Amino acid sequence: MTDHYAVFGDPIKHSKSPRIHTLFAQQSQQDLDYVAQQVPAETFVTATNDFFANGGQGLNCTVPLKELAWQYADQLTERARLAKAVNTLAKQADGSILGDNTDGIGLVNDLIGNHQIQLAGKRILILGAGGATRGIILPLLDCQPAQISIANRTVSKAEALVADFAAQGRLTALGFEALAGQQFDVVLNATSASLSDQLPPLPADLLAANACCYDLAYGNQPTAFVKWGLAQGAAQSLDGLGMLVEQAAEAFFIWRGVSPATTDLIALLDTERQK
Ligand code: NDP
């Protein structure tokens, strides 16, 4: 029997998730379908109730639904509870709905597994203090970095986030102007600036020797931040395509108990976007 999965979001037309999950299913011989459905925030609860009532097994939620999905879930994993955002809902054997957030582990798996960027003992800087930053903090802290600093345009948002995660590890909040004179080994752009081809105001000399840059955003062209990293001499300057595939792989594992292979799929999507 074919099991049903979907991604809800608004907008959703350009989502790569149906393609990724369909290829995962083919590769691991799982009998499932996966569709994208445009769901505005106002109809999220009704659409999600209908989806699970009609045999849906698992759902991904993207912008602007991750907080609503967090509220919807009957149980939450620890990383989702702290993130206050859910990107994966999974129907359990007793009919209840589990909420998880696979964005952070997706990022970590791409950094460490695909690009050999080690995080233990490293000075990490996260730019931005929105939903994506919330999702990645705990998995990053689990990698035992020397420090994590969070710089945001609106400093109070970075401070609130640091306060929420204070019990989990050492975090620092600051504004962009306070970055002058500091150096980092890994700089993660979790602002949405790249989506409008903008760059947060970053000082020169922000990168330590052999530092790596990573933009959570991705597109068909290198983002403004990826270009900045290359111009600053970063050892690697990457975008979030690998994170997208890795967070999907983690969701697939939650639903199906099978870890799909990701390397060839990332390479395929990377080649296609360069055409
Ligand atoms: P949010 O809207 O929650 O947060 C946006 C953040 O960007 C805020 O901190 C905001 O600052 C900051 N910002 C926006 N514009 C600028 C600018 N011009 N200069 C400096 N800072 C700016 O977005 P999300 O956290 O949900 O998403 C962030 C990014 O992560 C997006 O690009 C998204 O596509 C990407 N993402 C990628 C994933 C993947 O799988 N690859 C998964 C999830 C997210 P302020 O608080 O001051 O407004």
Side-chain angles (χ1 to χ4, degrees), residues 2-8 21 30-36 51-52 55-60 89-91 251-252 254-256:
T2 305
D3 290 327
H4 303 302
Y5 296 84
V7 57
F8 286 0
H21 282 281
Q30 298 281 305
D31 187 6
L32 62 86
D33 59 28
Y34 185 110
V35 297
F51 176 78
F52 284 117
Q57 292 297 308
L59 204 56
N60 284 136
L89 292 171
K91 193 167 189 171
F252 195 89
I254 291 164
W255 293 328
R256 310 297 299 185

Side-chain angles (χ1 to χ4, degrees), residues 203-274:
D205 304 328
L206 186 65
L207 303 184
N210 291 317
C212 293
C213 292
Y214 192 103
D215 199 339
L216 274 63
Y218 54 87
N220 289 340
Q221 305 296 326
T223 68
F225 179 74
V226 167
K227 286 191 253 182
W228 179 86
L230 292 171
Q232 295 291 316
Q236 296 191 67
S237 193
L238 306 159
D239 76 7
L241 183 70
M243 174 181 173
L244 176 77
V245 175
E246 294 295 344
Q247 64 76 29
E250 189 72 11
F252 195 89
F253 176 74
I254 291 164
W255 293 328
R256 310 297 299 185
V258 175
S259 286
T262 52
T263 313
D264 290 351
L265 179 48
I266 295 171
L268 175 70
L269 295 177
D270 192 29
T271 308
E272 283 178 359
R273 68 179 171 166
Q274 289 170 28

Side-chain angles (χ1 to χ4, degrees), residues 3-155:
D3 290 327
H4 303 302
Y5 296 84
V7 57
F8 286 0
D10 184 21
I12 201 67
K13 214 170 91 194
H14 298 291
S15 173
K16 295 185 195 294
S17 293
R19 176 113 193 275
I20 293 171
H21 282 281
T22 302
L23 289 168
F24 283 166
Q26 283 169 5
Q27 174 208 111
S28 55
Q29 293 167 353
Q30 298 281 305
D31 187 6
L32 62 86
D33 59 28
Y34 185 110
V35 297
Q37 189 175 327
Q38 179 154 358
V39 175
E42 305 79 62
T43 60
F44 172 75
V45 171
T46 318
T48 306
N49 284 342
D50 287 352
F51 176 78
F52 284 117
N54 290 316
Q57 292 297 308
L59 204 56
N60 284 136
C61 299
T62 186
V63 176
L65 306 174
K66 291 184 185 179
E67 275 180 37
L68 292 172
W70 184 79
Q71 290 164 11
Y72 186 92
D74 298 313
Q75 306 113 39
L76 294 164
T77 60
E78 177 69 355
R79 62 193 182 194
R81 186 182 68 77
L82 282 162
K84 293 186 178 163
V86 155
N87 74 341
T88 304
L89 292 171
K91 193 167 189 171
Q92 306 296 284
D94 65 0
S96 65
I97 305 297
L98 174 73
D100 201 350
N101 188 318
T102 65
D103 283 338
I105 193 70
L107 171 67
V108 167
N109 286 346
D110 194 38
L111 287 169
I112 299 178
N114 298 333
H115 299 287
Q116 290 73 49
I117 296 172
Q118 299 311 319
L119 302 175
K122 297 294 171 65
R123 294 161 292 176
I124 299 179
L125 171 64
I126 304 175
L127 309 170
T133 298
R134 270 195 177 280
I136 65 177
I137 288 179
L138 199 58
L140 288 172
L141 281 170
D142 286 345
C143 298
Q144 311 289 332
Q147 66 175 82
I148 298 182
S149 299
I150 300 173
N152 198 42
R153 188 171 58 182
T154 313
V155 184

